[in-house]
Amino acid sequence: MAPRLDFSDWWAKDTRKGTPVVVKMENPNYSVVEIDGPDSAFRPVEKSRGKNAKQVTWVLLLKAHRAVGCLTWLATVFWSLLGAIKKRLSFTHPLGSEKLGRDRWLFTAIKLFLAVSLLILGFEIVAYFRGWHYFQSPNLHIPTSTLEIQSLLHLVYVGWLTLRADYIAPPIKALSTFCIVLFLIQSVDRLILCLGCFWIKYKKIKPRFDEEPFRNDDAEGSGFEYPMVLVQIPMCNEREVYEQSISAVCQLDWPKDRILVQVLDDSNDESIQQLIKAEVAKWSQKGVNIIYRHRLVRTGYKAGNLKSAMSCDYVEAYEYVAIFDADFQPTPDFLKLTVPHFKDNPELGLVQARWTFVNKDENLLTRLQNINLCFHFEVEQQVNGVFLNFFGFNGTAGVWRIKALEESGGWLERTTVEDMDIAVRAHLHGWKFIYLNDVKVLCEVPESYEAYKKQQHRWHSGPMQLFRLCLGSILTSKIAIWKKANLILLFFLLRKLILPFYSFTLFCIILPLTMFVPEAELPIWVICYIPVFMSFLNLLPSPKSFPFIVPYLLFENTMSVTKFNAMVSGLFQLGSSYEWIVTKKAGRSSESDLLSITEKEIPNKKSQLLRGVSDSELLELSQLEEQKHAVSKKPVKKTNKIYHKELALAFLLLTAALRSLLAAQGVHFYFLLFQGVTFLLVGLDLIGEQMS
């Protein structure tokens, strides 16, 4: 309000002297005007006039029209959502729902939480319409005397308010404070990693080697002496991708007498085995040193497959081993960009290359995965490789020194993350790692939520298994204390345990709980500002993904339930902690790859197959080709899945959003609403639909 000025003394100087006259008015009719400026006294006074019935009617009709339009829009959205749910349920196979198994403890807890939330919401809606608005602010007066109690229901409601304020709110506040502290610690760690990445970019730090590392003037012939390299392609029922991976590996630019390709097939489908055998035979006819291996006893999953391959007698003649999963397509110069780093560096045990994704723009799910993986490789792996010479082996697109594998104990079958296991053991034995961010290997990410969820379950349960098994070895190892602290506190606890714990507990449990217990309400900066800032940091390595910052934030919170469940299962060996399910691939290739394959393979395909092949072998190859084309042309019926935990959390968050409306909490309402809708889309398996 503008300051009031007292001009009575100033006006008194100009008044004329005389006899004062007192006028008494029986029925005064005057108005008081507030002077807020020098010309206020001279402006005409606005006289209020009452509205007639016609004007009131038009105003009411206008408001009613707006209300009907809003309700119509909400009804349309709700009806469309129900239609999508009905369609999903009608096309869902009875076996298409998520199998909970021994992991149903979390689903049971969420259902119990949802039931209690619905009960409390109904109770407080009744209290709201009765005029008991005590819940709108935790500081309002709560009636305690018998004179203020209106009925038995009112007495029960007042008892609930007292119980909530005195006994429920304090532990929720303590848990939320603990999670917020963990959240801030993890945010600081993420910020330090980003600063380290900026420093690497600014200083242009990158591993380098001599231009001609294998030149040997004493060597005969070309004057180059290349080391012996073993290339392994482990696979299991990889019908969609086996051909392109074998083709890419067989085109590696390396002397043919200094390289051996092992195709390690664990397929239990005989038709796939025959197709892979035919592909190996085709490249063998071209002069590639390639062999096919199939285990009769398929134990230990991928670790058992690699362990069996390394036990062959001829492996002793090789110095390095490169590993590629079945969907990876290395460029021809991959070995010439990675193997030279081992030259004159006897402490180097691993060289890891970066992944790039051929299907990153396929749908919304692949775009969101690309954000996470770009940050993992561009920031985490690169910073840890430059400053610590240690990071987790990604299981593929890397080259190991075979001596480092042997001294570290080789491949072990004790966890589902055999790649991280061998990396930790090699680090404990003093071996160093190098990460090459500019050497990229083409692969693909899961295109369906089902495949992605199974992959994430394995990636988050395995590290907790490994932490339990190797904690004693870390504490008793001879490495420096700061390296032990980095392994335990940062590598395992902060990035593998704390991250899924606080993200699920804080945003999926505590936040909806505080809607029913407003005394423990979370501040806005916890649910809005900090998460958006952290999402912004995650998007820095992939700037083209900035339009997806909101879906990314919501989807990461949605995936926290899967990661939390996997973390607990691995830590306490519950449920499917040792379950290994091969990630389903689509078998996509880049356009340049398809063009090169078409130009090179089609004109000479028949002549290459006919050369040195008998009639019976040629007949078998033609039958296999026909079988492969028949399988590829066969339509695949899509089975929609229903994910129980995600749906239960969706209804829980939407219930909490409805409760936040009673307390007029704007930011909390929108966050819970959008997060609940995201859970609903994921639970109905709609997140992987085409969204170009």
Side-chain angles (χ1 to χ4, degrees), residues 102-328:
R102 289 176 291 177
D103 287 339
R104 65 183 308 112
W105 63 271
L106 182 59
F107 178 57
T108 304
I110 296 174
K111 286 196 300 182
L112 180 61
F113 189 13
L114 175 60
V116 174
S117 302
L118 289 172
L119 180 63
I120 297 175
L121 177 63
F123 190 34
E124 294 199 348
I125 289 177
V126 173
Y128 178 82
F129 284 106
R130 285 178 175 260
W132 306 332
H133 299 168
Y134 312 122
F135 54 79
Q136 289 187 353
S137 175
N139 299 321
L140 288 179
H141 170 67
I142 298 177
T144 55
S145 63
T146 55
L147 297 177
E148 296 177 292
I149 301 300
Q150 303 175 8
S151 62
L152 178 62
L153 182 62
H154 192 199
L155 179 63
V156 174
Y157 182 65
V158 170
W160 154 247
L161 295 181
T162 305
L163 176 67
R164 186 183 74 185
D166 296 340
Y167 298 100
I168 299 179
I172 294 177
K173 287 182 179 180
L175 181 59
S176 62
T177 302
F178 178 67
C179 290
I180 290 172
V181 171
L182 297 180
F183 184 26
L184 294 177
I185 293 175
Q186 198 270 338
S187 302
V188 171
D189 173 67
R190 191 62 56 94
L191 180 60
I192 292 175
L193 288 174
C194 291
L195 293 177
C197 183
F198 284 134
W199 180 259
I200 293 173
K201 297 292 184 183
Y202 176 71
K203 291 292 185 178
K204 298 181 180 179
I205 302 174
K206 59 182 296 185
R208 292 179 173 84
F209 58 85
D210 297 334
E211 294 183 0
E212 297 180 349
F214 302 124
R215 174 173 291 277
N216 188 353
D217 297 333
D218 297 333
E220 298 179 359
S222 62
F224 290 88
E225 186 177 0
Y226 291 88
M228 299 287 287
V229 178
L230 178 68
V231 182
Q232 296 177 333
I233 313 176
M235 58 180 63
C236 180
N237 297 326
E238 308 280 4
R239 182 189 298 271
E240 296 82 7
V241 294
Y242 77 91
E243 187 174 5
Q244 61 193 34
S245 64
I246 294 176
S247 174
V249 169
C250 289
Q251 298 180 54
L252 289 173
D253 185 10
W254 203 256
K256 293 184 178 181
D257 60 335
R258 312 294 292 178
I259 186 175
L260 172 64
V261 179
Q262 284 182 319
V263 179
L264 312 176
D265 182 25
D266 258 4
S267 304
N268 54 8
D269 189 334
E270 293 186 0
S271 62
I272 299 178
Q273 294 177 22
Q274 296 301 321
L275 291 172
I276 298 175
K277 285 181 181 179
E279 186 69 17
V280 171
K282 181 183 75 173
W283 286 101
S284 181
Q285 291 295 326
K286 296 180 180 180
V288 177
N289 192 11
I290 183 172
I291 60 174
Y292 173 86
R293 278 182 55 86
H294 178 74
R295 292 192 301 162
L296 297 177
V297 181
R298 299 170 57 251
T299 59
Y301 304 114
K302 181 180 176 181
N305 197 0
L306 294 172
K307 181 179 179 180
S308 174
M310 294 299 294
S311 63
C312 299
D313 296 334
Y314 55 80
V315 174
E316 298 178 357
Y318 293 86
E319 189 175 356
Y320 308 106
V321 55
I323 303 173
F324 300 100
D325 282 351
D327 59 315
F328 280 70

Side-chain angles (χ1 to χ4, degrees), residues 323-378:
I323 303 173
F324 300 100
D325 282 351
D327 59 315
F328 280 70
Q329 306 169 51
T331 56
D333 60 348
F334 175 83
L335 293 179
K336 290 189 175 181
L337 295 175
T338 54
V339 176
H341 289 278
F342 292 97
K343 184 73 172 178
D344 300 326
N345 196 354
E347 296 181 348
L348 182 61
L350 168 67
V351 175
Q352 173 71 58
R354 180 175 177 171
W355 301 359
T356 54
F357 312 102
V358 65
N359 61 337
K360 62 181 179 181
D361 296 324
E362 186 65 26
N363 55 40
L364 179 60
L365 177 61
T366 58
R367 290 186 176 100
L368 299 180
Q369 292 179 71
N370 180 62
I371 295 173
N372 265 341
L373 291 171
C374 283
F375 182 87
H376 170 70
F377 285 104
E378 184 85 15

Side-chain angles (χ1 to χ4, degrees), residues 304-538:
N305 197 0
L306 294 172
K307 181 179 179 180
S308 174
M310 294 299 294
S311 63
C312 299
D313 296 334
Y314 55 80
V315 174
E316 298 178 357
Y318 293 86
E319 189 175 356
Y320 308 106
V321 55
I323 303 173
F324 300 100
D325 282 351
D327 59 315
F328 280 70
Q329 306 169 51
T331 56
D333 60 348
F334 175 83
L335 293 179
K336 290 189 175 181
L337 295 175
T338 54
V339 176
H341 289 278
F342 292 97
K343 184 73 172 178
D344 300 326
N345 196 354
E347 296 181 348
L348 182 61
L350 168 67
V351 175
Q352 173 71 58
R354 180 175 177 171
W355 301 359
T356 54
F357 312 102
V358 65
N359 61 337
K360 62 181 179 181
D361 296 324
E362 186 65 26
N363 55 40
L364 179 60
L365 177 61
T366 58
R367 290 186 176 100
L368 299 180
Q369 292 179 71
N370 180 62
I371 295 173
N372 265 341
L373 291 171
C374 283
F375 182 87
H376 170 70
F377 285 104
E378 184 85 15
V379 180
E380 291 182 340
Q381 297 291 76
Q382 186 171 209
V383 171
N384 290 326
V386 169
F387 294 104
L388 302 177
N389 293 123
F390 167 72
F391 47 82
F393 174 46
N394 294 115
T396 178
V399 182
W400 276 94
R401 189 190 296 269
I402 295 181
K403 182 181 178 181
L405 290 176
E406 295 174 348
E407 288 187 359
S408 303
W411 299 103
L412 299 182
E413 307 167 9
R414 57 183 182 174
T415 68
T416 57
V417 284
E418 75 293 328
D419 45 9
M420 185 182 295
D421 188 1
I422 188 63
V424 171
R425 286 184 282 117
H427 181 59
L428 295 179
H429 282 77
W431 292 99
K432 296 181 179 180
F433 303 163
I434 283 180
Y435 172 74
L436 303 178
N437 192 59
D438 54 348
V439 179
K440 302 176 181 180
V441 181
L442 195 67
C443 62
E444 63 179 69
V445 291
E447 297 182 8
S448 66
Y449 178 71
E450 178 187 7
Y452 180 61
K453 182 177 181 179
K454 292 177 180 178
Q455 181 195 69
Q456 292 300 305
H457 187 278
R458 175 165 52 88
W459 284 5
H460 286 81
S461 64
M464 290 298 97
Q465 287 180 310
L466 181 60
F467 179 65
R468 292 176 49 257
L469 296 172
C470 70
L471 179 59
S473 301
I474 295 174
L475 295 175
T476 58
S477 63
K478 298 181 180 180
I479 62 175
I481 296 179
W482 68 269
K483 292 184 178 181
K484 296 180 182 180
N486 173 69
L487 268 177
I488 296 175
L489 299 179
L490 294 181
F491 187 76
F492 279 112
L493 291 182
L494 183 60
R495 296 166 188 166
K496 303 297 187 298
L497 189 148
I498 291 178
L499 178 59
F501 169 77
Y502 85 75
S503 59
F504 172 74
T505 306
L506 188 61
F507 296 108
C508 299
I509 299 298
I510 295 180
L511 179 59
L513 190 59
T514 56
M515 295 299 100
F516 301 95
V517 186
E519 293 84 357
E521 181 181 346
L522 292 175
I524 295 180
W525 60 268
V526 173
I527 65 174
C528 183
Y529 301 145
I530 298 294
V532 170
F533 177 70
M534 298 310 300
S535 300
F536 175 79
L537 291 181
N538 288 353

